[in-house]
């Protein structure tokens, strides 16, 4: 990673900054009124609870719904969050302004502030609405990564040093919100990879077993073909052969020179030969005389 002389940027280098952003909304229950049914916090944080986002971010500009008295909120130090109350869901935007040393364009994220849990796809017998639960908040959070290509050398060093010192600020100004921050670690990924590895190993074993079975069946087929080639009479099939090469037709052994299609009945009606007729005629003349 050598910076160029002109721009002081690291060539052929990418730096990744993971981010988590979203909203957590609590139902106000008995304290709610027509226009204030939920209290919510919109935030931008690091998935790594030990990483200091202030090393990279100068400020975050939150753009809320125009119905709020101050729709644009600038937060110049962490925790980068806005807490409000209201009655409706809407899409907000978060514009990240990077440190000047980065010389990077601002990054804009959008997020829909969710106040009500997703309705179940299967109808239930519970007649109560889904927004009356005041104990469990509605958490809507996303994970993303900002990739910097050929970053400035100084900015790259700042990103590498983000988790080398304890945080000087709370993860949130709302203690109840911190409890519901999601965890992002490699444990679940490792378990998924191990499960996938086990599945693939099982599939490979099944394929090998099928190949061995196919090879065995192929060997048996080759053996059968060899035996048939060594015994033409058996290969012909033909309903019982004779070792001498004669065919058995109607219980009578024939020489096999009979024209195709002749049956045993036709063989029995074969005309007598001429010598036999001559012998009969001679016998008749002798009797007469």
């Amino acid at each position: 990673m050598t910076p160029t002389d002109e721009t002081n940027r690291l060539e052929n280098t990418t730096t990744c900054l993971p981010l988590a952003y979203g909203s957590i909304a609590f139902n106000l229950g008995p304290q709610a009124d027509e226009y204030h049914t939920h209290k919510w916090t919109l935030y931008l944080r690091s998935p790594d609870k030990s990483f200091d986002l202030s090393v990279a971010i100068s400020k975050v500009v939150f753009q809320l719904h125009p119905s709020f008295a101050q729709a644009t909120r600038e937060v110049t130090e962490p925790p980068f969050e806005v807490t409000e109350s209201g009655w409706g869901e809407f899409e907000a935007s978060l514009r990240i302004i990077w440190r000047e040393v980065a010389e990077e364009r601002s990054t804009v994220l959008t997020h829909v502030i969710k106040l009500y849990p997703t309705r179940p796809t299967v109808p239930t017998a519970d007649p109560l609405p889904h927004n009356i639960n005041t104990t469990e908040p509605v958490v809507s959070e996303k994970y993303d990564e900002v990739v910097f290509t050929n970053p400035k050398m100084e900015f790259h060093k700042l990103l590498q040093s983000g988790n080398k010192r304890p945080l000087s600020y709370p993860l949130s100004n709302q203690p109840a919100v911190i409890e519901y921050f999601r965890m992002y670690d490699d444990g679940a990924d490792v378990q998924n990879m191990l499960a996938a590895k086990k599945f693939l190993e099982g599939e490979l074993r099944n394929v090998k077993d099928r190949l061995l079975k196919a090879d065995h069946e192929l060997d048996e087929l080759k053996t059968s073909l060899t035996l048939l080639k060594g015994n033409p009479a058996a290969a012909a099939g033909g309903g019982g052969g004779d070792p001498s090469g004669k065919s058995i037709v109607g219980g009578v052994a024939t020489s096999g020179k009979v024209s195709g299609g002749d049956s045993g009945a036709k063989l029995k009606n074969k005309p007598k030969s001429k010598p036999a007729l001559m012998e009969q005629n001679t016998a008749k003349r002798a009797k007469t005389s």
Side-chain angles (χ1 to χ4, degrees), residues 15-253:
T15 302
C16 177
L17 178 62
L19 295 174
Y21 62 99
S23 61
I24 298 180
F26 293 86
N27 191 296
L28 294 177
Q31 301 176 358
D33 58 38
E34 183 179 1
Y35 297 104
H36 302 86
T37 60
H38 294 77
K39 180 180 180 181
W40 50 261
T41 297
L42 176 65
Y43 57 85
L44 172 73
R45 67 182 185 90
S46 172
D48 181 358
K49 294 183 178 181
S50 65
F51 189 89
D52 185 3
L53 282 181
S54 65
V55 300
I57 297 176
S58 174
K59 64 180 178 180
V60 178
V61 181
F62 295 87
Q63 188 64 46
L64 308 180
H65 192 272
S67 60
F68 286 91
Q70 185 181 353
T72 303
R73 314 283 178 90
E74 289 189 5
V75 181
T76 58
E77 59 183 16
F80 299 109
E81 63 182 19
V82 171
T83 299
E84 272 290 355
S85 61
W87 58 270
E89 299 178 344
F90 63 93
E91 183 180 81
S93 67
L94 301 79
R95 180 180 294 275
I96 304 173
I97 311 299
W98 305 105
R99 290 290 182 185
E100 185 176 353
V101 67
E103 295 186 7
E104 297 284 350
R105 295 180 179 179
S106 61
T107 301
V108 178
L109 307 173
T110 59
H111 177 76
V112 176
I113 297 177
K114 302 291 291 184
L115 303 184
Y116 306 97
T118 303
R119 293 181 178 275
T121 55
V122 179
T124 63
D126 184 7
L128 299 177
H130 294 277
N131 63 335
I132 67 167
N133 189 347
T134 59
T135 58
E136 291 296 326
V138 176
V139 181
S140 177
E141 184 176 273
K142 298 177 182 178
Y143 174 92
D144 209 340
E145 296 179 352
V146 181
V147 178
F148 301 95
T149 304
N150 300 334
K152 299 281 288 189
M153 183 176 63
E154 187 175 353
F155 186 61
H156 177 76
K157 291 181 178 179
L158 289 174
L159 292 175
Q160 300 300 315
S161 64
N163 55 0
K164 292 184 178 181
R165 58 185 181 184
L167 296 181
S168 59
Y169 55 85
L171 295 176
S172 174
N173 292 324
Q174 307 296 322
V177 169
I178 300 176
E179 179 183 353
Y180 295 95
F181 279 161
R182 293 175 178 172
M183 298 293 294
Y184 296 91
D185 53 32
D186 297 333
D189 293 337
V190 171
Q191 293 300 322
N192 291 335
M193 292 176 66
L194 291 176
K197 180 175 179 291
K198 184 177 180 180
F199 172 78
L200 290 176
E201 289 175 347
E203 289 297 305
L204 287 175
R205 284 194 298 269
N206 293 336
V207 171
K208 289 181 180 179
D209 292 341
R210 289 196 294 268
L211 289 175
L212 290 175
K213 183 178 179 181
D215 289 341
H216 180 69
E217 293 176 349
L218 182 60
D219 291 339
E220 290 182 343
L221 181 60
K222 288 180 179 179
T223 302
S224 300
L225 289 175
T226 302
L227 294 175
L228 290 174
K229 288 181 180 179
N231 189 354
D242 186 278
S244 63
K246 298 180 179 180
S247 300
I248 306 299
V249 182
V252 179

